[in-house]
Structure formats: C-alpha cells, structure tokens
Amino acid sequence: MSDQNVQRTLAIIKPDAFGKKLSGKIIDIIENAGLSIIGLKVLRLTAEKAGGFYAVHKGKPFYDSLLEFMSSGKIIVLALEGTDAINHWRSVMGATDPAKAEEGTIRKLYGTRIERNACHGSDAPETAEVELNYFFKPEELVP
Ligand code: ADP
Ligand code: MG
C-alpha cells in the first residue's frame, strides 16, 4: 500500500530562525523534501504555553531557559503530512545539537548551538498527535 506510512507531524520554526528571517528558506526545504504543509500559523508563545508544550522536559537543567527562548519571539508552527513524516522531518532537521548535525540539514545550516537549533519536530506518532492538537484544531488542518 503506497499510503501505508502516511503520517502527520508538528514542525516549529523557532524564534532564532524566525528572527533571522530564515522562515522562507526553511519552508523551501520542507517543500523540497516532499512534505506537505497542511496547517501553518505564526504565534508568540507565553512561557506558560511553551512550558506545556515542553512538559516532558520539566525538571531538566535547560527547561527554564528553553521556555524563555521559546517565548522570546515569534514562531511558525506547521502541521506536515507525508510518508514517514515524523522520522523524515527529523532527518531533514538534523541532530538536536547543530555541532553534531549532518551536512545539509536545517540545524547544521541555520542552528548555532543546542539552545538555538532553529526548528522542532515531533519524535513519535503519540507525541505528534499531542503536539498537533496543542496548536491546531482539527478544522485548521487542510490535507
Ligand atoms: P529535539 O528538539 O531534537 O527533539 P529534545 O526533545 O531532546 O530535542 O529537546 C528539546 C529542545 O530542548 C531541543 O531542541 C533543544 O533546543 C533543547 N535542549 C535539549 N537538550 C539540551 C541540552 N542538553 N542543553 C540545552 N538545551 C537542550
Ligand atoms: Mg524532542
């Protein structure tokens, strides 16, 4: 079945990349990777809203600075759809730490350090569903 592994995932263009006007370049990479944009919005998160999104990291040493960063400027949240979209988008983004990211990946190209790594992607079907619901109502997704 050709559509057996069609998935949805949540992508975020983080405040560092948005602030450097890299959103267009990142969206270009998304489209060239064959991922379909089925939802998109510009947001400015509060620290509380960022904290809910990153609740899984609560208690980690970088949690407070992560929330401060994620609420420091505008972001773009995108709902993406495609074959194996979750792992595909993570491979297009590259490793969490830009210093360890593969050549040509978004984090290698546009990330500067682990705290400023340009983009987010869900890591599993369960988290993708939670994260998509965190930012999008069902009727806001246009497959
Ligand atoms: P990913 O974004 O690749 O899924 P994680 O879920 O592990 O990575 O972490 C969420 C975000 O928290 C990362 O994208 C990064 O911005 C930040 N982060 C992760 N680990 C660290 C760390 N050791 N020090 C500082 N920031 C971190
Ligand atoms: Mg993660």
Side-chain angles (χ1 to χ4, degrees):
M1 291 278 200
S2 62
D3 63 351
Q4 197 172 13
N5 293 313
V6 172
Q7 295 177 328
R8 293 177 179 182
T9 192
L10 182 85
I12 303 179
I13 299 173
K14 292 185 176 182
D16 55 337
F18 190 102
K20 287 188 268 188
K21 303 193 187 297
L22 294 168
S23 300
K25 288 190 166 69
I26 292 172
I27 290 170
D28 198 37
I29 292 171
I30 289 171
E31 293 190 314
N32 283 323
L35 290 157
S36 174
I37 298 169
I38 62 167
L40 184 154
K41 54 178 87 165
V42 178
L43 298 173
R44 173 77 191 255
L45 301 184
T46 61
E48 288 72 22
K49 183 84 176 175
F53 181 75
Y54 279 118
V56 67
H57 294 299
K58 194 165 185 182
K60 292 187 185 164
F62 58 84
Y63 182 70
D64 288 346
S65 66
L66 177 61
L67 304 200
E68 190 180 338
F69 165 59
M70 289 300 292
S71 58
S72 69
K74 291 191 281 186
I75 63 170
I76 295 179
V77 293
L78 304 101
L80 306 180
E81 187 174 76
T83 304
D84 290 323
I86 296 167
N87 283 332
H88 183 36
W89 170 236
R90 285 192 71 89
S91 73
V92 170
M93 287 200 300
T96 305
D97 183 352
K100 295 177 184 151
E102 302 75 6
E103 287 297 329
T105 61
I106 293 170
R107 283 165 161 174
K108 179 74 172 187
L109 285 166
Y110 304 131
T112 47
R113 52 198 167 88
I114 195 164
E115 300 90 349
R116 298 285 184 275
N117 59 4
C119 50
H120 167 85
S122 310
D123 63 7
E126 300 73 27
T127 49
E129 191 177 352
V130 171
E131 292 181 0
L132 287 164
N133 287 331
Y134 198 75
F135 290 117
F136 292 99
K137 300 186 178 111
E139 63 268 27
E140 292 174 326
L141 299 180
V142 187

